[in-house]
Amino acid sequence: MHTPHVVAVMGVAGTGKTTIGPLLAARLGVPYAEGDDFHPSANIAKMSAGTPLDDADRWPWLDAIGAWAREREGLGGVVSCSALKRSYRDRLRASAPGIVFVHLAGDRALIEDRMARRRGHFMPTALLDSQFATLQPIQPDEAGVVVDVSGTPEEITGRAAQALAGLSDTRRQYPSPPPHHRKGPP
C-alpha cells in the first residue's frame, strides 16, 4: 500500500515513534525520516542535561521537519515528531498542508517503563512529566488518528495503518474546519 501523504508519527517520548515510524513507512511504501535528526545540537545537549525545550528551541526544529514534509508532499513519507502542542502541528501544516498525524498514545506507566528500558537515547525519563504537561491531544478538526501503544510494534503499526486507511482522502488532504455556530435560520 503506497500513500502520497506525509504522515507525522507524534506523541510524548517513549511512545515508540522511532520504532513505529520506520515500520509504518515500510508498510505504506514510503521513506522514513527520524525527527530527532532534525534537532540542532544545542537542543540535544539541553535535553540530555534534563532541561525541557521551550518554544524558541522548537521552532527551527519544526521548520526543518516542515521543509522535509513539504518536499515529500504528493510523494509520501513518514516522519517522527513529538508535535505535542496544537501550535507545533499548525506550524508543520503551514509548511505541508496535507500532513496527517498519527498520535501514539498510551498509559503513562507503560510509557515510563519503556523509556526506562531503552538505552542510548538522549531523553531522560525525568522529562516525561514535562512532555505530558505540554501534550495537547489531536483535535477532531485536525487530520489525524489516535493509536493505542499497547501491544507489539507490529500490532501498533497495523492499527496505525488501518486507522489511516479509514480516513477519507478529502480529510487526509484538507482537515475539516471547526463547526461554526450561527444564530437564527440558515
Side-chain angles (χ1 to χ4, degrees):
M1 165 164 83
H2 175 77
T3 180
H5 303 288
V6 176
V7 177
V9 178
M10 63 165 281
V12 299
T15 53
K17 296 180 296 291
T18 299
T19 300
I20 303 306
L23 293 172
L24 184 59
R27 183 142 181 186
L28 298 176
V30 296
Y32 171 73
E34 169 56 53
D36 288 341
D37 292 344
F38 293 91
H39 272 299
S41 58
N43 284 7
I44 292 173
K46 195 171 183 179
M47 289 183 285
S48 296
T51 305
L53 300 179
D54 59 28
D55 287 352
D57 297 320
R58 287 187 181 96
W59 297 140
W61 173 64
L62 290 165
D63 290 344
I65 292 171
W68 182 87
R70 183 177 54 250
E71 290 172 7
R72 299 296 316 158
E73 283 193 327
L75 303 171
V78 174
V79 61
S80 58
C81 173
S82 55
L84 298 177
K85 287 185 180 180
R86 171 73 184 248
S87 60
Y88 304 162
R89 296 186 297 272
D90 288 344
R91 192 158 183 132
L92 291 171
R93 275 190 292 272
S95 292
I99 198 166
V100 177
F101 295 90
V102 170
H103 178 183
L104 298 180
D107 176 75
R108 189 191 188 291
L110 172 66
I111 294 167
E112 186 173 21
D113 179 61
R114 287 181 180 175
M115 281 184 76
R117 286 187 283 128
R118 68 185 183 183
R119 301 286 175 249
H121 195 276
F122 60 82
M123 176 70 84
T125 306
L127 289 183
L128 189 56
D129 287 336
S130 73
Q131 293 260 301
F132 273 107
T134 302
L135 177 64
Q136 296 172 342
I138 196 161
Q139 298 299 303
D141 67 317
E142 294 183 85
V145 296
V146 178
V147 176
D148 178 58
V149 296
S150 61
T152 67
E154 292 74 20
E155 290 168 338
I156 299 164
T157 301
R159 285 195 295 269
Q162 184 177 15
L164 286 169
L167 289 176
S168 71
D169 285 344
T170 302
R171 177 134 172 97
R172 279 191 231 171
Q173 292 181 19
Y174 307 102
S176 301
H180 296 286
H181 299 285
R182 288 189 259 170
K183 293 183 180 178

